[in-house]
Amino acid sequence: MLLAIDCGNTNTVFSIWDGTRFLATWRTSTEHQRTADQYYVWLSTLMKLQKIEADITDVIVSSTVPRVVFNLRVLADRYFNTRPMVVGKPDCALPVAVRVDAGTQVGPDRLVNTVAGFDLHGGDLIVVDFGTATTFDVVAKDGAYEGGVIAPGVNLSLEALHQAAAALPHVDISKPQRVVGTNTVACMQSGVFWGYVGLVREICARIRAERGTPMKIIATGGLAPLFQQSEDLFDHFHDDLTMHGLTVIHDYNMRTA
Ligand SMILES: Nc1ncnc2c1ncn2[C@@H]1O[C@H](COP(=O)(O)OP(=O)(O)O)[C@@H](O)[C@H]1O
Ligand SMILES: CC(C)(COP(=O)(O)O)[C@@H](O)C(=O)NCCC(=O)O
Ligand SMILES: [K+]
């Protein structure tokens, strides 16, 4: 079975894939100090608790934080006796082309999202991922990654207000009832929520205009459903888009090896 690991700047997600479905998915905070032994204690405890009897033979990793990859490699080697595939490394092939400026290190999560979006919906897509940063990935007709947009994440924007202004509290995002806030928290939520609705609409409209072609908008990330609620921003939402992409890339490498 395959252990797929998606490490973002905030959270790291582990999923076990049996070839047809995910048996379980667990989430931990991303900390580069965490050792292979710590990962294994955490993972094996959860597997026992949920009575998951998985014989893990393969590991694939996508990490936006380069420093955590070392310990994840040790985890794969020491506890699963396998060399992990690491997205973005030369020995991990991608089923799609990457057409960006020479020397650009595209975030592996964006490449994985591109592969997943193309597998599920074909080409001409904009994939929006609401992570630490909000990324827009442009997927060409043939599935190639052709660049995109990076914007500050929703929680990062709220946190930046709190950090920089003495009188602004820590606030969680939610959809405000009204645009005009009558207290500080409501004002901040309004700025970020409606500002974000505008950001997503404007960026997608401009991408479509720049490329002169209709493009489907695919969304992923924990905060996407909040924006989808009443605003018609996306054509499709997939909770596990990145995980799906990791299974496709793993499969591709097994078949072409
Ligand atoms: N379902 C959710 N509801 C509210 N906040 C969420 C949810 N899922 C993730 N978040 C928050 O969204 C931000 C991005 O999280 P995540 O998508 O895990 O980022 P990354 O992939 O960059 O690690 C974090 O601040 C996280 O706490
Ligand atoms: C843009 C990102 C920080 C998003 O990371 P995330 O929010 O998933 O943690 C990551 O994809 C990254 O570090 N990219 C490198 C630069 C690039 O993609 O062009
Ligand atoms: K992500």
Side-chain angles (χ1 to χ4, degrees):
M1 282 185 211
L2 173 68
L3 174 64
I5 306 173
D6 164 26
C7 176
N9 280 286
T10 306
N11 290 310
T12 301
V13 185
F14 288 68
S15 281
I16 297 176
W17 174 252
D18 75 355
T20 38
R21 66 190 181 104
F22 290 110
L23 299 184
T25 294
W26 299 293
R27 193 173 280 261
T28 182
S29 54
T30 299
E31 282 163 28
H32 71 263
Q33 300 94 330
R34 194 168 293 144
T35 65
D37 304 330
Q38 287 174 312
Y39 281 117
Y40 187 70
V41 168
W42 171 79
L43 193 64
S44 57
T45 306
L46 287 167
M47 285 173 70
K48 276 201 197 89
L49 266 173
Q50 297 191 11
K51 301 193 170 41
I52 306 274
E53 290 193 15
D55 177 20
I56 293 167
T57 52
D58 295 65
V59 176
I60 184 164
V61 175
S62 159
S63 179
T64 58
V65 185
R67 287 175 78 180
V68 303
V69 175
F70 174 77
N71 284 324
L72 292 172
R73 278 189 192 279
V74 178
L75 171 75
D77 175 54
R78 186 175 297 164
Y79 292 101
F80 305 116
N81 201 20
T82 184
R83 217 176 104 86
M85 281 177 201
V86 179
V87 178
K89 299 291 174 201
D91 56 354
C92 179
L94 291 178
V96 299
V98 179
R99 290 195 279 264
V100 293
D101 298 350
T104 300
Q105 287 287 325
V106 181
D109 55 328
R110 307 178 71 189
L111 301 175
V112 178
N113 285 346
T114 297
V115 169
F118 185 59
D119 183 67
L120 294 170
H121 299 285
D124 284 330
L125 306 176
I126 302 169
V127 181
V128 190
D129 188 336
F130 290 82
T132 309
T134 297
T135 49
F136 297 71
D137 308 321
V138 171
V139 184
K141 193 175 227 36
D142 66 350
Y145 171 82
E146 287 195 342
V149 174
I150 301 173
V154 175
N155 285 323
L156 195 59
S157 307
L158 278 166
E159 199 49 33
L161 284 175
H162 169 57
Q163 292 291 336
L168 297 185
H170 172 81
V171 170
D172 287 325
I173 189 69
S174 75
K175 183 183 172 185
Q177 294 308 310
R178 297 150 56 89
V179 178
V180 180
T182 49
N183 58 68
T184 308
V185 169
C187 289
M188 291 170 70
Q189 286 174 333
S190 184
V192 173
F193 183 89
W194 296 115
Y196 238 81
V197 169
L199 178 145
V200 172
R201 272 201 214 294
E202 183 73 13
I203 286 176
C204 290
R206 283 182 181 270
I207 292 174
R208 281 171 165 157
E210 199 166 279
R211 296 179 68 89
T213 173
M215 301 175 88
K216 276 194 204 140
I217 304 172
I218 314 299
T220 189
L223 293 171
L226 177 73
F227 289 94
Q228 183 70 327
Q229 266 176 33
S230 57
E231 302 299 311
D232 224 12
L233 293 177
F234 320 119
D235 296 299
H236 299 278
F237 165 71
H238 299 282
D239 192 21
D240 57 357
L241 188 75
T242 313
M243 276 300 159
H244 176 72
L246 284 174
T247 68
V248 175
I249 293 171
H250 175 259
D251 198 50
Y252 177 76
N253 279 272
M254 296 307 279
R255 281 189 287 111
T256 54

